[in-house]
Amino acid sequence: MLGNLAIGAAAGGGYSRLLILVVFLGLMYFLMLRPQQKQQKKHKDMMSQLKKGDHVITISRLHGVIDEINQADQTVTLDCDGIYLVFDLRAIAQVTSQAPQAVTAPVSADTTSASADTPAENTDESASDEPAEKTDDESAK
């Protein structure tokens, strides 16, 4: 009689172990594999949207601007301060900024006017600082 109970308990324990294993595998899928698949899809979408002029960072943390994309060879040519380097498309880790559109012309015009205002302000400030230094020097004597 005790032998029959032990056999029944072992059979019931087998189902619970199988259930625990299935639950564990399900959790592992949702916590590890699914996020990795989402990240791969996001990277693939980013790679399909690359174009000339995009600022990118490679997997070796080299910053550059895309000069040419060769889809047949799966390569990209980066301009790194006048040095042209050829990488596999898979070497692109992230896009830091998209290729500038017509927006750059007004931004550079604003930058020039802002830089023209800045020296005038600095000149006024430096002129007001000089007499204060002279009075300090005079009071020290």
Side-chain angles (χ1 to χ4, degrees):
M1 192 164 180
L2 290 174
N4 289 339
L5 289 175
I7 292 172
Y15 290 124
S16 65
R17 288 182 185 166
L18 181 63
L19 181 64
I20 290 172
L21 182 64
V22 168
V23 168
F24 180 72
L25 290 175
L27 283 174
M28 196 164 90
Y29 172 77
F30 281 106
L31 294 177
M32 293 176 65
L33 299 176
R34 191 161 184 239
Q36 184 179 7
Q37 289 173 347
K38 284 184 177 182
Q39 185 178 15
Q40 287 174 347
K41 184 179 183 224
K42 182 180 174 184
H43 189 262
K44 186 178 178 181
D45 291 341
M46 178 193 68
M47 297 303 286
S48 68
Q49 295 175 359
L50 286 178
K51 59 189 172 295
K52 184 176 179 175
D54 286 349
H55 294 265
V56 296
I57 301 175
T58 65
I59 55 176
S60 60
R61 298 300 174 228
L62 179 74
H63 295 245
V65 178
I66 294 179
D67 185 60
E68 179 185 345
I69 300 174
N70 187 342
Q71 292 293 343
D73 295 337
Q74 293 291 306
T75 60
V76 62
T77 303
L78 297 182
D79 178 10
C80 303
D81 292 332
I83 300 171
Y84 294 90
L85 303 169
V86 179
F87 290 96
D88 284 342
L89 274 174
R90 295 175 294 185
I92 303 298
Q94 69 184 44
V95 177
T96 56
S97 64
Q98 298 295 323
Q101 302 296 330
V103 177
T104 51
V107 171
S108 61
D110 291 340
T111 310
T112 351
S113 64
S115 62
D117 293 340
T118 306
E121 292 173 4
N122 288 342
T123 309
D124 294 337
E125 290 174 6
S126 62
S128 64
D129 288 341
E130 289 178 17
E133 291 176 9
K134 289 179 184 177
T135 57
D136 290 339
D137 290 337
E138 292 172 3
S139 63
K141 292 180 180 179

